[in-house]
Every structure is written in structure tokens, then in C-alpha cells.
Amino acid sequence: MGQVNALAPTGPPDDPGQPDAPDASGAPDPSGPLAGFLALRTPEGAELLAGLRSYDPAAELATATRLRRTHPAGLVSAALGQARLRQRAVAKFGAEDAHRMFFTPDGVEQATRSSVAAHRAGRFAGAGVRSVADLCCGIGGDAIALARAGISVLAVDRDPLTAEVARANAAALGLDELIEVRCADVTEIDTSPYDAVFVDPARRGGRGRIFDPEAYSPPLSWATAAALRAPRAALKIAPGVPHEAIGPQAEAEWISDGGDVKEAVLWFGEGFEAGSYRATLLPSGAGLSAPAALPAPPVGPVGRYLYEPDGAVIRAHLVADIVQRCGGRLIDGMIAYVTSDELYDSPYTAGYEITDQLPFNMKRLKALLRERKVGVLTVKKRGSPVEPEELRRKMKLQGPNRATVFLTRVADAPTMLIGHPVTGPEAGLG
């Protein structure tokens, strides 16, 4: 088994996300990122960082020059790096939390979005979980959500800097009484005292994103074994995980937030349905599930309406459920577009009324858009090699009207479908 729960080095030598090489005494390198981070926790560092909340990164050189007149250069460098990370983290954690928390470059990249972490913590709490061993805790995003759900957490990471950041985050958000942070190898942790285990393996290495679940750190097989030893467990995995890599003991859930698929989670133990597939859409919390893989849906001609399932529904292989619910069909056996002749309103799909169906032909599309005076064109594609920006450029759009074009395949033939989103009094019908 490879190195477990390690953060791959990224960035320049003074990057605040780099682990420090110890000196001969075993203490952290005083010029390294761990020492730099600890300096931010001093009163001088905290005051310096607070003053950088709204600084402009484009003016960093001038800001650094000014601050170095009154503060040590290393502290200024660490504060500016942390301020940049906080600004990036707002998208995941919101401004209020992000500007109180601490981050590493890998931590910002890999941390769970707070809305997704809160959903997962809610499922744990709903299953009666009161204590969790959070293995590979990173900067503590999931531990924070669990603690806010009233669950006590042991948060474990083997990287000293990452563990120190997680500890600082628990304190900054007033959750340190519920979160114990331990710097250790997750494979050596006794999880038996805890109601549940949560594992978030590292899915990035020195060469970028890792797609093979057995190349995760720790590997999916180790994480699954740890989950099966616990009364309840959840494993965070990449949403593109092959279904065949999911064991029959797990309930598999794909989660989207604002229409974007964020992650997949494997749930184990009492309160979760082994072998089932689930799609959850945030922020609404709408959930669609099936106890097992569904049979292939029917395929047929394009009707009046076209439905684009949410990405979580597609990843969970629940498009057949949408077909059944709307009484429709697929436009092609390999394309996840659903069509029907009746309007169907659902939180799991975006609906469009189709006005035209044409064989793929750029000149015909350009002529039609000019005739309809379309100046704003939304381009969607599935099963087509054409890039949306390239198509829009060639159309030379002019006019006050809007339209949506789908570049896709119908009965295995390249096709263009033109229409518009379903709006008006019929939009609420289904």
C-alpha cells in the first residue's frame, strides 16, 4: 500500500501548503510553511492577516513592500498567501467562515463544499450517530459540519501542517470542544470507540487527479474494509467512479450542488440501503433513489419536450427512473436526454420545448437563427464533438430573441434540436 493520507507537494518552496523539513533537532524548519503558519497564530500574525481581508491580489507587490517595513518578511509572505487562500475559499465556505478559517493550497482544492458537508453530517445525525472518526480530515471541513450537527469528532491527518490547520479551524469557529485533531497515520487509528467512520481519501497525486480508486491514498479497498468494521460509515469518492468498483454492501449517493456534481459517497451500516443508488440535489435536498440498477429505458422519436437530467441523476444511473416518471423515452440509447409529448415538471430535470429538429448542418442552423432574429444562443451538447464557443462564433448572431440549441444524436444520427426553456403558466404543471 502506498503512503497513506499524504499531501503531495505543490507550488514554490515558500508556498504555505508545503510540509516543513525538520532540522537536526527535529523541530520544523523555521523558514518553512509550518513555522510560517504558526506565526500567523500569534497576535502580530492575526492582526496582520485581519488587515488583508479585502486586499487586491493585483496589488500584492505594493502591499508586500508596505507591510515589510513594519513586519518580518516571512510573516508578510505567509499572511499574503493565507489571504489569497481565504479569498478562494469563499466559494466553498462562504465569506463569514472563510475569513475566519485557515487553509493550505491542497486544502482549498480538496475540501468539501460546506453545503455538501452539512448534508452528509445531517444524514449521519439522522441515523443516530453521535461520534465519528474522520480519517484523512484535511483542513477539517467535514469535521466542522459534523460538529455543527452535534456530533463529536476525532479528526485525523498524518501531515503536521494540515493537522495544525484543522486544529486552528476548530478553534476559530468555536468547535474545539467537539473536535479533537490528531496527527497520525489513519491506518493506525482504533475506530472501535466511535459510532461511525468517515474516510475522505486523497484523490490527487504529484501528477494531478487520480482516477483509479486503488491509487487513492489510502486505497478504496482499505477504506471499504475500515468502513465495514464500523457500525456505520461513509466514504467520499470521485463522482466518476465506475459502478463496478462499488461493492454490494454500500449505498451509493451522488450529490450535486447548484446543478454541478460535486462528489459521490458510499454509505455503510444500519440506516443505509445496501446496493441502492441515490441522487441528491442541493440546495433543495431533493432525492431520487432506486433499490438496484434499473433496466434500460425505451428509445423513441423526439417529442414536444426535452428533459436534461441533473448530473447526479445521470451519474447514479437513474435516468431510467426519469423516463418512467414522465412517461417518455430516450432520444438515443447512448444519450441522457429524455423526451415526451407531455409537460413534466421535476426538480431532477431542466425542461425545454422543442420547436425544430434538423440534421446537423451549420448553414441551415445559421439561416434559421437569422430568420428568427436570435441574438443570444445557449448551446448544449451531448454526443457531439462540436465546441459551443466555436458554433456561436460561426453563427454571427444578431437580434433581440433567445434560443437554445442541443447538439446531440437522435437514433445514432447527428442532430440539432432547437427550442427554449419551459416557462409561463404551464411551467408548474406535471
Side-chain angles (χ1 to χ4, degrees):
M1 182 171 65
Q3 189 178 25
V4 175
N5 196 29
L7 293 178
T10 58
D14 64 349
D15 189 317
Q18 295 298 304
D20 294 6
D23 61 20
S25 68
D29 177 0
S31 64
L34 178 53
F37 174 73
L38 294 175
L40 290 177
R41 303 277 285 143
T42 65
E44 181 184 8
E47 182 181 1
L48 180 59
L49 189 54
L52 291 170
R53 173 166 179 156
S54 57
Y55 100 104
D56 181 2
E60 182 165 317
L61 180 59
T63 302
T65 301
R66 173 176 57 83
L67 292 175
R68 283 171 180 166
R69 296 184 187 127
T70 53
H71 298 283
L75 180 60
V76 171
S77 178
L80 287 170
Q82 192 60 230
R84 288 195 303 270
L85 294 174
R86 284 180 167 183
Q87 290 182 354
R88 286 173 55 194
V90 168
K92 284 189 174 182
F93 291 90
E96 184 178 353
D97 280 354
H99 286 289
R100 290 190 290 164
M101 294 173 64
F102 298 89
F103 302 94
T104 66
D106 284 340
V108 170
E109 182 70 27
Q110 298 178 15
T112 304
R113 183 178 291 263
S114 60
S115 56
V116 178
H119 162 73
R120 185 165 45 238
R123 291 203 72 187
F124 266 133
V129 170
R130 293 295 173 263
S131 61
V132 171
D134 178 0
L135 308 181
C136 315
C137 70
I139 61 166
D142 282 284
I144 289 165
L146 290 164
R148 283 175 167 169
I151 297 170
S152 63
V153 185
L154 170 66
V156 184
D157 201 286
R158 72 176 295 168
D159 178 70
L161 173 60
T162 304
E164 195 62 40
V165 170
R167 190 173 292 112
N169 286 335
L173 299 180
L175 298 168
D176 42 347
E177 289 189 3
L178 283 170
I179 301 174
E180 175 195 348
V181 178
R182 191 178 301 173
C183 184
D185 187 324
V186 297
T187 64
E188 298 174 358
I189 297 298
D190 177 14
T191 61
S192 61
Y194 299 89
D195 295 343
V197 166
F198 172 62
V199 189
D200 180 4
R203 294 177 298 283
R204 286 184 178 273
R207 297 184 178 180
R209 193 177 299 276
I210 296 170
F211 296 97
D212 178 7
E214 283 307 296
Y216 292 172
S217 180
L220 183 58
S221 58
W222 180 90
T224 300
L228 291 173
R229 289 193 297 269
R232 297 176 185 84
L235 310 182
K236 177 181 171 182
I237 56 176
V241 65
H243 277 224
E244 55 269 21
I246 299 171
Q249 309 98 325
E251 172 193 307
E253 178 184 27
W254 282 261
I255 303 170
S256 69
D257 190 4
D260 295 327
V261 182
K262 296 302 180 184
E263 65 180 58
V265 187
L266 303 184
W267 296 94
F268 299 82
E270 186 179 349
F272 308 111
E273 191 174 356
S276 67
Y277 299 87
R278 173 185 295 266
T280 299
L281 282 55
L282 301 177
S284 70
L288 189 66
S289 64
L294 300 171
V299 178
V302 177
R304 180 179 176 183
Y305 299 101
L306 187 77
Y307 302 102
E308 181 181 30
D310 184 271
V313 173
I314 296 172
R315 293 284 193 180
H317 293 187
L318 293 173
V319 174
D321 189 288
I322 298 295
V323 172
Q324 187 177 58
R325 287 168 181 257
C326 74
R329 53 204 175 266
L330 297 180
I331 64 171
D332 184 280
M334 302 301 292
I335 303 292
Y337 283 139
V338 179
T339 188
S340 73
D341 304 305
E342 303 294 332
L343 183 60
Y344 168 68
D345 182 44
S346 165
Y348 310 111
T349 65
Y352 299 83
E353 185 172 11
I354 300 302
T355 57
D356 300 88
Q357 177 177 343
L358 306 171
F360 182 82
N361 185 298
M362 289 280 203
K363 289 184 178 179
R364 288 186 64 182
L365 178 61
K366 185 176 180 179
L368 185 146
L369 297 176
R370 185 186 302 118
E371 177 187 333
R372 304 263 174 91
K373 298 181 180 180
V374 172
V376 178
L377 183 67
T378 300
V379 182
K380 293 179 171 286
K381 58 174 248 177
R382 224 167 246 166
S384 171
V386 179
E387 291 300 324
E389 286 305 321
E390 176 191 356
L391 183 138
R392 265 191 291 265
R393 192 165 50 248
K394 291 182 177 180
M395 293 300 102
K396 299 181 179 178
L397 301 166
Q398 277 188 316
N401 299 322
R402 297 171 174 264
T404 300
V405 60
F406 294 86
L407 307 177
T408 187
R409 304 183 72 83
V410 175
D412 204 34
T415 303
M416 301 181 299
L417 303 175
I418 298 92
H420 54 81
V422 177
T423 58
E426 290 185 310
L429 303 177

